[in-house]
Amino acid sequence: KGRPATDSYKVSISYSSGFKAVGSLVYSWPDAYKKAQAADRILRARLEGLGLKFEEVLTEFVGVNACHGAKLSGEPSSDLAEVAMRIGVRGADQRAVERFTKELAPLVLNGPPTVTGFAGGRPKVEEIVAYWPALMPKAEVMPMVEVIET
């Protein structure tokens, strides 16, 4: 069984929606979580001091609360063997996102001690291709077929 045709076409629209980059550093025992939190504070202060603006800055602490968030995860054990600080930014300014990627490496030598996990190097800036599903009235579209021979 079918239904009568609707008066709209389903349209999938993709468009450029800025840039993103995600990087991570792993901190080890003792006080792995406290070190990762300190690195996050240092990095955010550095980004603010540089005047970099982003639509979003998100930090996750893998091994502590990355899956369920801080509210559901509760306070972690103070004796965690390791914690990965994963931080990402999203914004319209590609140069600001690129600069963010250059601010992680200094934390390896000048940030909290026992950092590891930077073997992948500087994060890559990626374009965000957003998706918007929509309906378009059929009355606004002129169906046409064009055959191009090469």
Side-chain angles (χ1 to χ4, degrees):
K1 278 185 165 182
R3 294 189 178 139
T6 66
D7 62 347
S8 299
Y9 290 118
K10 292 180 184 177
V11 181
S12 297
I13 301 168
S14 297
Y15 59 96
S16 179
S17 185
F19 301 89
K20 68 177 181 172
V22 179
S24 63
L25 297 172
V26 180
Y27 289 89
S28 66
W29 180 92
D31 300 320
Y33 183 42
K34 287 182 182 178
K35 293 173 193 171
Q37 288 175 309
D40 180 49
R41 286 191 304 274
I42 292 166
L43 182 55
R44 284 172 181 260
R46 179 76 179 140
L47 296 175
E48 185 177 327
L50 290 168
L52 300 177
K53 303 287 184 212
F54 303 101
E55 292 171 24
E56 185 174 12
V57 178
L58 176 66
T59 304
E60 298 175 318
F61 297 101
V62 180
V64 176
N65 59 19
C67 291
H68 301 292
K71 289 182 182 178
L72 291 177
S73 298
E75 195 60 32
S77 166
S78 60
D79 203 30
L80 292 172
E82 59 197 30
V83 172
M85 177 199 69
R86 181 170 50 206
I87 185 167
V89 299
R90 177 175 53 89
D93 184 351
Q94 184 176 3
R95 285 180 287 176
V97 176
E98 181 69 36
R99 181 57 196 254
F100 157 79
T101 68
K102 297 175 182 177
E103 292 302 317
L104 279 173
L107 285 173
V108 175
L109 296 175
N110 298 317
T114 71
V115 70
T116 184
F118 196 65
R122 186 185 320 163
K124 302 216 178 341
V125 175
E126 300 176 64
E127 182 179 9
I128 300 169
V129 179
Y131 168 73
W132 181 46
L135 296 175
M136 178 177 281
K138 288 179 179 176
E140 300 293 321
V141 178
M142 170 77 98
M144 184 170 104
V145 176
E146 185 176 343
V147 178
I148 300 173
E149 293 186 33
T150 56

